[in-house]
Amino acid sequence: MDHTELEGVIVDIDYISSGDRSIIRMSLKSGDKVYRLLDPNFYPYFYLNPFNKDIDPSTISQMKIVSEGENVVIHSAEKMQMSIRGKQETMLRISANNTRSIPRLSEHLSEFGQRYEYDILFWKRYLIDKRVSPLSGVTLKVHEDKGDLIIDEILPKNIEPKLTHLCFDIETYNPNIAPRPEIDPCIMISYETDTKRGVLTTKKIDKPFVTYCPDEKSMILKFVEIIKQNDPDIIAGYNSSNFDVPYLMKRSKKLGIHFDITRYGEEAKEENHGLIKAVKIPGRINLDVYNVARFVSIVGASETLLKITRFTLYDVYRAITGDTKITVDKKNIWQQWDGTKADLENLAEYSLSDSISLNALYHFFMPLEVEVAKVAGTTLAETSISTTGQLVEYLLMKYATWNKEIISNKPSDNDIYARNANPIEGAYVKTPEAGIYDRITVFDFRGLYPSIIIANNIDPSTLTKQEGNVYVSPEGSRFLKSPQGIVPKVLELLISERSDVKKKYKKDPDNKYLAARSQALKILANSFYGYLGYARSRWYSRDCAASVTAFGRETISNTIKEAESAGFKVIYADTDSVFLLMQSKSKEDAHNFMISINKKLPGAMELELEDFYVRGVFVGKKGKSEAGAKKKYALLSESGRIKIKGFELVRRDWSNISRETQRKVLEAILKDGSKEKAMAIVKDVVKDLRDGNVNLKDLVIYTQIKKKIDSYDSKSPELHAAKKALADGVKRKDELDNATIGYVITKNGDSISEKAEIEDTAKTYDPDYYINHQVLPATLKILKELGFSEDELKNTGSQKRL
């Protein structure tokens, strides 16, 4: 048999059914070519820990099993020595011809023992067992059989991915505000690659980038043709998994056309991935940049995006580039479509600008997204719809398999309930005295929780009752010093690699992929503690998670004592940070303190200087003026940078006017040192609200509905607004389920909830609500430290104190 050698990166991997077999299918990008490869020699399997250790595997493999009227065939059964949370066991590995047999077999055989790993996705199992990472590169030996390329061997090889892409966006006719795919046509499709751009539409528009199509059917088919001609590895959109692709799929079905944007002559498939809607495009990567932007903001990978509260394409593009894109009134797109020549030209410009802006975001996010996928070892499509916990789980699954450790089953609903009912004590917090302070130094423990896990070998498999050769946590749990557990082992690998990458990056500071690699390693390393304590985790361990925070509390407490002994005043401490009031101390004193602490720390723990700050504001807790609030402060660094934590301006569920007013107040205090200017800012905003001079866009409040809208009984403002929009036909149910709702408190209604309307339909606003429930709560906690009262801010009282 003649073999051909190939090398490249895996763009997509799934499986197909052929007769009674499930066969791995992958798309390999090799140079400029893409190959469709099959591996029929890999079988799905699960493990059984038999009650009878002497059972003969042939007894199992020869069983005749019928499930749902179908014979379920066992392909093989063999004994394996595996470890379950540190204990060696003789297991049976049982394989089947197809994936649908695995849950049936595991259920049927559960009377013979405890079953494990029966819910691992087939393609993930393949990547793990073959020890390959899609975007890190592979080398293969293949042969041809009846026109198919069959994989004989696959091995990892370091190859940099060079993937092509196409960004796109659609516009729809929307006389009912919310477009209805069963009625309302798609009217424009814009696209951009790195070399081509254009707009497809069904009206003749005198613009060089516009291609006229006689009708919607020919326009969609033209878009399919463009995808086939360009053959992108990645199709990128913005909220495209939730809207654009499903809308085109539904319109194509309505028009009776085959909407094939795949590489295999198939159709895209809608999927649910937890709370995230996904679209699978076989042979290509579907990249919804909206999901990527949300992920980046949550993990704090972009300093700019940390302050984003609206994740529209316009807002994210502005935050990333500093530029603005063309906008239109989206709810009136149908009127522009039916409008003048100038209206149509403007709409076409707007449509193209969406794809142009999206392409800029694609290039901004891709280095980090690629490196996160490479570090986790999964596909780019999977990475783009995963949480950090899911990525950590995949990493642990890989190393557990390679270390012959059984992957724990997902917890049951009862397990999850019990875990949530027994919460873990959190980090140590020294609350600050509310007020305004000068000359503050902030220190952080670098990777505190990861370093604690590594230094003390904290892992579910190392938990023990024995006395000797153990690490003992402050709350009493014991961990074997050896062998090293999977969790600390993987963490140590990530941290070690990050140290190497940072050294390379210092020598090559313009290398954006080294910067992204460092950030990806940091993101995943910092997610391990949370995963240990997450109720739905396969590696959940209350003892492990509680021990990490206990060690953390001990470390911070000891540091506070050392700082006070050295003559500093500790005004605030939380989790892994300490805030020192310098008083008469010098910067050299602060550096010497840091050095003295680091000499006493175990393992990889290290105290680092975050920055020196000129001034800081700490606010009081609700109802108290003396005790400061946890994680609610603003600091001005010597370089002029303002660091803000916990205030409304970094929260989504406050209106823009409350956030902007708070920001201006903080700047007036921190930069100008002027309490009078801060006071005047609030008074001016209150007056503008009363006089009706505030734009409705600045009054929108965003709240996420975290489940299906009809499953709620409460009457919160966002639910009232959403249900009213649904009843009025302004929004569809699928647009509201698990969605972020933007609403305004109007003058129409009695209660606050009754006054809430979605931003698309709101025409008025209630000034008293925004004064008393938005602007004043956002600023009063700050200004009361300067001696101002609520009545004074409303221009109804006098200053209480100075």
Side-chain angles (χ1 to χ4, degrees), residues 524-662:
L524 291 181
N526 287 343
S527 301
F528 273 70
Y529 159 71
Y531 183 70
L532 283 173
Y534 176 49
R536 296 180 181 275
S537 164
R538 292 179 186 266
W539 267 265
Y540 173 87
S541 170
R542 190 182 190 285
D543 289 335
C544 287
S547 294
V548 174
T549 54
F551 275 119
R553 289 192 299 273
E554 181 180 71
T555 300
I556 291 292
S557 296
N558 290 340
T559 304
I560 290 172
K561 291 175 185 175
E562 295 267 359
E564 290 173 343
S565 297
F568 294 96
K569 181 178 180 180
V570 180
I571 55 173
Y572 178 50
D574 186 3
T575 310
D576 59 358
S577 302
V578 287
F579 294 59
L580 308 184
L581 198 59
M582 295 286 283
Q583 302 182 117
S584 61
K585 293 287 185 178
S586 66
K587 288 184 179 180
E588 184 180 359
D589 293 331
H591 279 291
N592 289 336
F593 166 72
M594 180 180 69
I595 292 169
S596 68
I597 291 292
N598 284 330
K599 286 180 179 178
K600 301 173 186 176
L601 291 175
M605 286 191 197
E606 184 179 358
L607 187 66
E608 294 182 315
L609 173 68
E610 180 191 285
D611 211 343
F612 292 104
Y613 294 93
V614 176
R615 188 173 292 119
V617 177
F618 295 84
V619 302
K621 288 183 178 178
K622 187 175 182 180
K624 298 178 182 179
S625 60
E626 302 303 324
K630 177 181 175 181
K631 288 188 179 179
K632 199 165 188 178
Y633 57 84
L635 301 168
L636 175 66
S637 73
E638 291 180 335
S639 64
R641 180 178 65 92
I642 292 180
K643 178 180 180 178
I644 297 170
K645 285 284 187 181
F647 285 107
E648 283 70 22
L649 64 89
V650 294
R651 285 175 50 184
R652 182 176 59 201
D653 55 347
W654 285 76
S655 63
N656 188 54
I657 195 168
S658 64
R659 292 193 302 270
E660 280 300 298
T661 305
Q662 188 182 75

Side-chain angles (χ1 to χ4, degrees), residues 11 41 77 116 137 142 164 173 284 313 360 362 534 543 545 612 651 686:
V11 173
N41 301 310
Y116 292 97
V142 302
T164 59
Y173 196 67
R284 306 190 199 277
L313 177 59
Y362 171 88
Y534 176 49
D543 289 335
F612 292 104
R651 285 175 50 184
V686 168

Side-chain angles (χ1 to χ4, degrees), residues 735-784:
E735 291 182 287
L736 299 171
D737 290 341
N738 304 311
T740 298
I741 302 297
Y743 63 92
V744 175
I745 303 301
T746 69
K747 294 179 179 179
N748 309 319
D750 295 322
S751 68
I752 291 174
S753 290
E754 289 175 356
K755 292 179 178 181
E757 292 185 25
I758 63 167
E759 58 180 314
D760 305 80
T761 60
K763 298 289 191 296
T764 64
Y765 70 84
D766 180 352
D768 288 335
Y769 170 81
Y770 285 97
I771 292 169
N772 296 317
H773 296 280
Q774 290 277 316
V775 172
L776 291 186
T779 56
L780 187 59
K781 287 181 181 295
I782 304 166
L783 290 173
K784 73 179 181 181

Side-chain angles (χ1 to χ4, degrees), residues 241-254:
S241 295
N242 190 52
F243 180 72
D244 300 71
V245 177
Y247 204 93
L248 288 174
M249 291 168 65
K250 289 168 186 173
R251 289 305 298 162
S252 296
K253 187 175 181 180
K254 179 79 174 176

Side-chain angles (χ1 to χ4, degrees), residues 124-194:
K124 288 187 178 182
R125 171 80 78 192
Y126 183 84
L127 293 176
I128 290 171
D129 283 19
K130 297 297 183 180
R131 298 193 176 212
V132 295
S133 172
L135 292 189
S136 294
V138 293
T139 179
L140 309 98
K141 288 183 180 178
V142 302
H143 73 272
E144 188 174 344
D145 182 21
K146 297 177 182 178
D148 289 321
L149 286 177
I150 306 300
I151 298 171
D152 297 306
E153 181 181 81
I154 180 169
L155 296 169
K157 183 172 184 179
N158 189 24
I159 298 170
E160 283 301 316
K162 294 180 180 178
L163 304 176
T164 59
H165 72 283
L166 180 144
C167 297
F168 84 103
D169 187 76
I170 72 171
E171 309 303 334
T172 56
Y173 196 67
N174 63 335
N176 208 44
I177 298 181
R180 301 155 294 182
E182 67 279 2
I183 298 173
D184 299 322
C186 175
I187 55 176
M188 286 183 180
I189 305 175
S190 65
Y191 64 91
E192 170 150 311
T193 69
D194 284 339

